[in-house]
Amino acid sequence: MDIRIQQLQKLYQDKPALENINLVLQPGSFTAIVGPSGCGKTTLIRALAGLVPINGGSIIYGEEDVTDLPPQHRQTAMVFQNYALWPHMTVFENVAYGLKLRKLAKAEIEQKVMSILEKVEIDTSDLKKRHPQQYSGGQQQRIALARALVLEPKLLLLDEPLSNLDAKVRQRLRVEIRRIQQDLGITAVYVTHDQEEALSMADQVVVMNKGRIEQAGTPEEVYRRPASYFVAHFLGNSNTLEVIRKDGDYRVGGQSFKMAEWLDIKGENLQLVVRGEEVKCSFDQPSMTGHLTFAGRLRESLFVGSGYRHWIEIEGQNLFIESDSKLQGTGSCYVHLPINQCFLFAKQTDKEAREIEA
Ligand code: ATP
């Protein structure tokens, strides 16, 4: 059963928090929603859960329109950043709660609770005595995940579930959440601030900006073929070079280059975006096949732990390169940008650029 989100709108005091959201969730797929603070991620996931009333559009599960159903009848389950476990209940009672409401037989509840807690790798020996606060943050989030999964929801919603945990636990739980989601074949939507988390976990990544979807696609698509300047900048560590086009000639300052494929982009003032990890530098190689080459000057090299970050000036503009090793040279150099990793867009207005930088 696929889930279709059509023309979803949400206003807060006449200000749009979601505008024209269209999205398809394939059965058993994992969709990650990313975007800057305030772009509408939480509003979207809460709207899917029925926790936020919407102003327009529809949510369809297979053939069933669930738009007007209350949360408890949508067959969704949600996992929150702060776990939201009930402290006065034991771990067993927390996980069993939803099943009790459904009036399942005691033996069936017991079997389902134990089985799901084993799946999320919580020791089941002491569950009827221990309370959630006796567990670590990572374990509490596993319990919260079990509480959601035990209901066998059609759609599992996760709102920044790993943000409160330290880096090591986060890395481990990322892999486990993905494994469990795939084992159970459950459709999931996952909100995160962490782009690495989104790219590494998801089948589909949705990049949001100002209440709208900028791009939705596989992790490779959104990273390697960004549809807008915003997406190119939001994902990865990107450089921007200002480009002027006149009479089919493209210039970065005084240096010109030819690019037939980009002729469909309108305007004279353009911006070329390229990720720091894609750029190469040499001191004696004035061209490289499949690359745009500019003459520049190496200004600074910084050791950043995982490698080096080199700052290079090209025609008064600064560009950084990320590399594993030190550059063997100083001063004048050549900078090589792989053509298939250069993205050209119409120049952003100052206001748009400021919003992206923020
Ligand atoms: P963050 O990453 O900071 O959690 P977000 O992408 O999840 O942000 P939302 O929380 O969905 O963004 O907020 C989207 C917009 O709606 C923001 O401009 C926010 O200020 C506004 N908003 C959210 N909730 C309310 C509310 N209850 N009343 C008024 N405005 C709201």
Side-chain angles (χ1 to χ4, degrees), residues 12-13 15-17 35-44 160 191 193:
Y12 283 118
Q13 291 100 38
K15 257 190 75 193
S37 194
C39 72
K41 303 181 292 294
T42 298
T43 305
L44 175 56
E160 304 209 29
V191 165
H193 264 105

Side-chain angles (χ1 to χ4, degrees), residues 10-13 15-18 33-46 52 81 159-160 191-193 208 210-211:
K10 171 67 189 172
L11 301 170
Y12 283 118
Q13 291 100 38
K15 257 190 75 193
L18 295 176
I33 302 181
V34 290
S37 194
C39 72
K41 303 181 292 294
T42 298
T43 305
L44 175 56
I45 204 169
R46 284 175 175 261
V52 162
Q81 183 177 346
D159 191 1
E160 304 209 29
V191 165
T192 177
H193 264 105
M208 290 186 67
K210 293 194 258 178

Side-chain angles (χ1 to χ4, degrees), residues 85-96 100 109-135 139-140 142-144 146:
L85 295 166
W86 293 292
H88 61 286
M89 290 186 193
T90 64
V91 169
F92 182 89
E93 287 165 342
N94 263 281
V95 180
K100 278 192 185 150
I109 293 178
E110 179 105 10
Q111 182 273 324
K112 280 181 186 280
V113 171
M114 292 305 179
S115 153
I116 201 70
L117 282 164
E118 273 167 22
K119 183 120 205 133
V120 300
E121 292 180 3
I122 288 287
D123 175 9
T124 50
S125 49
D126 252 354
L127 296 177
K128 292 189 178 168
K129 290 199 200 110
R130 297 180 77 186
H131 287 74
Q133 54 278 29
Q134 293 171 266
Y135 288 78
Q139 286 173 318
Q140 288 192 51
R142 285 171 194 266
I143 297 165

